[in-house]
Amino acid sequence: MSQLPEIIRDIERVSPEVVRKAATFQAAILADVAGRRGTMHARVAPVQQDMQVAGPAFTVEVRPGDNLMIHAAIALAKPGDVLVIDGKGDQTAALMGTLMLSACKKLGLAGVIVDGAIRDKLEILDLGFPVFSAGFNPAGPTKFVPGRINHPISAGGTMVHPGDLVVGDADGVVVIEREKAPAMMALADKKVADEAARIEAIARGDTASKWLPAALRAAGVLKEGESL
């Protein structure tokens, strides 16, 4: 039985056209049309709330507190990739800081998402590069323990495959399977149009949720024929 190498260099990425389109949507819109799934735990948040990222996932799995494989991933990733790092949610030591993130920016990566701690917060704010993390810790990492690159990972409680579409903003991060991503774009367009129409209706004074009475009856809160 053959075994995959720990480092997979060649992956199939979601197309640049889909990435460009996806970047025009809120993560919440994409999460809704994707079935309200694929969102990372709220612990994975942008360092600054106006940070946004969209691109294909370049996945990295590390042991808690060790960033050896992240250095290798930075050397292998392509411009436009989003490093998505499964740091096991550990916040006892930082996996990245200003030096590594500056290199990511210089190489043209779209951003970095770390389910783990990072450090150098104020310098990262000045860097102007999208970074999402589970927290901060001044302690540095070790560089001894092997991990894996471009294997399926779990980050923020969500499965991420190499090449999947990753979109992040102030609300958090959503991951959509590469094969499904193109079909989600038309659904997202419709969702945006529907929400814009609803906002216009609310502005005219139509604040009632027309679906609510039926939902309350189905839940047993209202009896048949009863209304709010």
Side-chain angles (χ1 to χ4, degrees):
M1 182 177 177
S2 62
Q3 185 175 358
L4 288 174
E6 302 291 21
I7 296 176
I8 297 175
R9 291 169 172 79
D10 297 319
I11 62 172
E12 189 169 355
R13 294 166 168 84
V14 64
S15 74
E17 294 77 20
V18 170
V19 170
R20 283 194 291 271
K21 182 67 174 176
T24 67
F25 298 119
Q26 292 179 312
I29 292 291
L30 294 171
D32 280 357
V33 300
R36 293 175 172 82
R37 60 177 45 149
T39 56
M40 292 190 184
H41 190 282
R43 67 174 179 260
V44 181
V47 173
Q48 191 169 31
Q49 67 176 8
D50 61 353
M51 288 179 171
Q52 296 176 295
V53 67
F58 195 92
T59 63
V60 190
E61 181 187 3
V62 301
R63 296 289 181 88
D66 192 284
N67 72 358
L68 176 66
M69 300 308 289
I70 303 176
H71 285 276
I74 292 171
L76 293 170
K78 305 296 184 186
D81 284 346
V82 179
L83 287 190
V84 183
I85 300 161
D86 173 11
K88 309 297 186 289
D90 178 71
Q91 297 183 47
T92 63
L95 290 174
M96 303 181 76
T98 305
L99 298 179
M100 295 173 73
L101 292 166
S102 295
C104 290
K105 180 179 180 180
K106 183 65 176 180
L107 290 167
L109 303 191
V112 172
I113 297 169
V114 186
D115 189 4
I118 59 175
R119 65 181 182 180
D120 305 328
K121 182 175 183 178
L122 294 181
E123 293 175 355
I124 292 170
L125 292 175
D126 290 337
L127 187 60
F129 179 71
V131 184
F132 293 65
S133 81
F136 296 86
N137 194 305
T142 59
K143 298 173 173 61
F144 304 127
V145 185
R148 299 197 300 180
I149 292 174
N150 283 328
H151 288 251
I153 62 170
S154 175
T158 294
M159 179 64 70
V160 188
H161 290 83
D164 280 352
L165 173 65
V166 181
V167 176
D169 60 19
D171 286 333
V173 179
V174 61
V175 181
I176 298 177
E177 297 98 317
R178 176 179 56 80
E179 298 87 349
K180 293 183 179 180
M184 295 299 105
M185 298 304 102
L187 295 177
D189 271 330
K190 183 179 184 305
K191 177 75 172 173
V192 169
D194 290 347
E195 290 198 356
R198 182 63 187 136
I199 289 172
E200 289 180 3
I202 291 171
R204 296 193 301 269
D206 180 9
T207 60
S209 298
K210 295 177 176 58
W211 54 268
L212 182 57
L216 291 172
R217 281 191 288 272
V221 177
L222 293 181
K223 297 177 181 178
E224 195 63 38
E226 187 181 7
S227 61
L228 289 175

